[in-house]
Amino acid sequence: MAEAKKLFIKTYGCQMNVYDSQRMADALGNSGYVPTERAEEADMILLNTCHIREKAAEKVYSELGRFKPLKAANPDLKIGVAGCVAQAEGEEIMRRQPLVDLVVGPQTYHRLPAMEAAVRTGNRAVDTDFPEEDKFDHLPRGPRAARGPTAFLTVQEGCDKFCAFCVVPYTRGAEVSRPVDRIMAEARDLVERGVREITLLGQNVNAYHGAGADGTWTLARLIRALAKVDGLERIRFTTSHPNDMEDDLIAAHGDEPKLMPYLHLPVQSGSDRILKAMNRKHSAESYLRVIERLRAARPDLLLSGDFIVGFPGETEADFDDTMALVRAVHYGQSYSFKYSARPGTPAAERATVPDDVASDRLHRLQALLTEQQRATQDAMVGRDVSVLLEKPGRLPGQMVGKSEYLHAVHVADATARIGQIARVRVTKSVTNSLAAEPV
Ligand code: 5AD
Ligand code: SF4
């Protein structure tokens, strides 16, 4: 048998890219590739890229430049660009960086084996189609290797919301939900391989409307079905839009014990004027009402959010509204960004806020969000939490995992095993994690 070829994949951006990278490795596994952690020994390098902000997109070109000596040392090395930069820039990538052999958008990963064969014979391959067929149906199942205790599972992809700043509707395409039976089969397979917690992924995951045997299913119904899978102990989902937070999903937070009390619900801004300019299709008030209903269903729900400051037209008063909304919600976790104009999006045409003003607002917002995050974490001390143990800690007899609230927890228990859910008491809160002991 020929020696296995080695595949190095570097993943940027969101969790869906992490999932996609795994599926690309599965697909190329059938073409004789085994994964490597070292780019220097690879026969194929794939960058799975992110286009969400300018900085993320620019990283691709600086990284590609660093592969030049590797290609000089190994003329058989093939280099590919996948993901959202591939979708947005297509062939242009090869013009800007001629050492690239292959460009593949997020919807055509099932065609990778054929593209790989083409580049092996000295051709270049570009595919940025949005095909009718489901890319996941066509991906061959990899060898059933054991998995860690947590996994991502894409259930929905793409977005029809068209927020004025966002490239996702263009790079990932229209909203598509995978059928229920495929998701159930994939979840059961993951559980058989050792997975105890599944995070359901979608750019608009709570807009899920997949085909089931008896009609269209909502995300809540899917979660309830998954909760009946023996051995699957925890379910999470991300990312959600406030307008798709329907009653049945809010109810599930209250009565489905396997659904974890953590919700990422981006709002972007607290100013109705800016929300309108962003085409978010909701107000600050309607967002706060959704949160109120969620907390009525699950009082200990930990909320996480995304924020953009310096959106075109944002005044100091608009920014104050964002600060006020943050104070009203009190977030346990958050991600905040300076607005980045993305080519092809409606907002890219508008006059921008001066960079120093945007930076100053970002600092002030982040100071508040960090304070809230800190306070939320510190408030866990003395409480009992459940921790899904994922790996050994740095100290002997220590394990690390995540609580139901997604806090990283170091558990001092020499008898603990990976994959076990430990009931522990939190003893200490440090910078980015908690320490705990068995109850
Ligand atoms: N500029 C800055 N942040 C952005 N995001 C999306 N597009 C942009 C942009 N053009 C942020 C939003 C989104 C998160 C994934 O990235 O907050 O929720
Ligand atoms: Fe982008 Fe808005 Fe869709 Fe989220 S909801 S992916 S921010 S367009």
Side-chain angles (χ1 to χ4, degrees), residues 65-125:
R66 302 203 312 165
F67 296 142
K68 223 176 236 166
L70 297 184
K71 197 133 178 170
N74 174 12
D76 289 337
L77 169 66
K78 301 297 174 191
I79 295 183
V81 177
C84 290
V85 175
Q87 189 63 45
E89 300 194 353
E91 238 168 306
E92 178 60 26
I93 295 174
M94 289 166 166
R95 271 193 286 276
R96 212 172 135 182
Q97 185 44 275
L99 60 74
V100 173
D101 302 285
L102 182 159
V103 173
V104 58
Q107 300 312 322
T108 49
Y109 294 151
H110 54 294
R111 297 179 183 164
L112 257 178
M115 295 175 78
E116 190 273 341
V119 298
R120 279 286 150 220
T121 58
N123 294 305
R124 289 179 150 192

Side-chain angles (χ1 to χ4, degrees), residues 52-53 165-166 266 268 306-308 337-340 342:
I52 198 87
R53 284 170 292 274
F165 50 81
C166 186
Q268 315 298 354
D306 284 345
F307 304 88
I308 296 177
F337 315 95
K338 229 180 349 180
Y339 168 70
S340 165
R342 307 308 293 130

Side-chain angles (χ1 to χ4, degrees), residues 280-292:
R280 286 288 295 177
K281 305 182 184 84
H282 64 79
S283 63
E285 186 54 38
S286 68
Y287 177 82
L288 290 172
R289 269 205 307 275
V290 171
I291 303 256
E292 218 171 87

Side-chain angles (χ1 to χ4, degrees), residues 159-163 165-169 203-204 241 268 280:
C159 181
D160 296 340
K161 295 283 191 294
F162 291 93
C163 297
F165 50 81
C166 186
V167 288
V168 165
Q203 271 90 27
N204 243 293
H241 191 284
Q268 315 298 354
R280 286 288 295 177

Side-chain angles (χ1 to χ4, degrees), residues 18 57-58 65 97 142 158 190 231 269 327 334 355 358 368 428:
V18 175
E58 281 305 316
Q97 185 44 275
L190 288 169
S269 168
R327 286 193 189 93
S334 46
D355 190 57
L368 176 60
K428 209 165 87 178

Side-chain angles (χ1 to χ4, degrees), residues 227-242:
K228 293 200 177 78
V229 173
D230 275 342
L232 179 61
E233 305 298 341
R234 293 173 151 196
I235 301 166
R236 304 180 187 276
F237 61 90
T238 197
T239 290
S240 299
H241 191 284

